Amino acid sequence: MADSVVNHVANTQVQKHPLNIGVLNPPNALYKPVLYSDKEANSNFKQISKDIYDKEHSKGFQDKRKTPLSVILTLVAAAAGGGWLVFKKAMKW
């Protein structure tokens, strides 16, 4: 039984190329922050917020779906059938 014990498992997670340990790769360019005035920043923020709000609320349930024709026809048939039964019952009195 000792022969069936696995002592080694192949590690498939190791990269094929050697790792560059201790090597720092500099960025191609430095990040240059863009400065906005308070008025411009507020207007940009409001515009972004409005766009997000409009996008989230543009597709409500009412806008996405119409009532299927089969449901409308079923309701009309049920109402007609119920009306017919009431009419027949009223005629017997």
Side-chain angles (χ1 to χ4, degrees):
M1 197 72 167
D3 295 333
S4 66
V5 175
V6 176
N7 290 329
H8 177 7
V9 176
N11 188 355
T12 59
Q13 301 298 321
V14 175
Q15 299 174 352
K16 300 293 182 197
H17 55 83
L19 297 175
N20 295 328
I21 298 175
V23 177
L24 298 177
N25 296 322
N28 293 335
L30 295 176
Y31 172 73
K32 295 179 182 176
V34 179
L35 299 177
Y36 295 99
S37 67
D38 188 48
K39 183 178 177 182
E40 189 178 2
N42 282 335
S43 67
N44 287 349
F45 180 77
K46 286 179 183 177
Q47 182 62 40
I48 291 171
S49 296
K50 181 184 177 304
D51 290 345
I52 291 172
Y53 180 83
D54 290 343
K55 194 66 158 176
E56 286 179 349
H57 292 87
S58 66
K59 301 247 179 190
F61 178 78
Q62 296 83 4
D63 297 335
K64 282 196 262 183
R65 303 217 179 254
K66 294 167 103 178
T67 305
L69 185 61
S70 61
V71 172
I72 293 173
L73 292 177
T74 303
L75 291 175
V76 168
W84 179 255
L85 290 175
V86 169
F87 178 73
K88 292 280 277 180
K89 192 75 162 173
M91 293 304 285
K92 286 187 179 179
W93 284 346

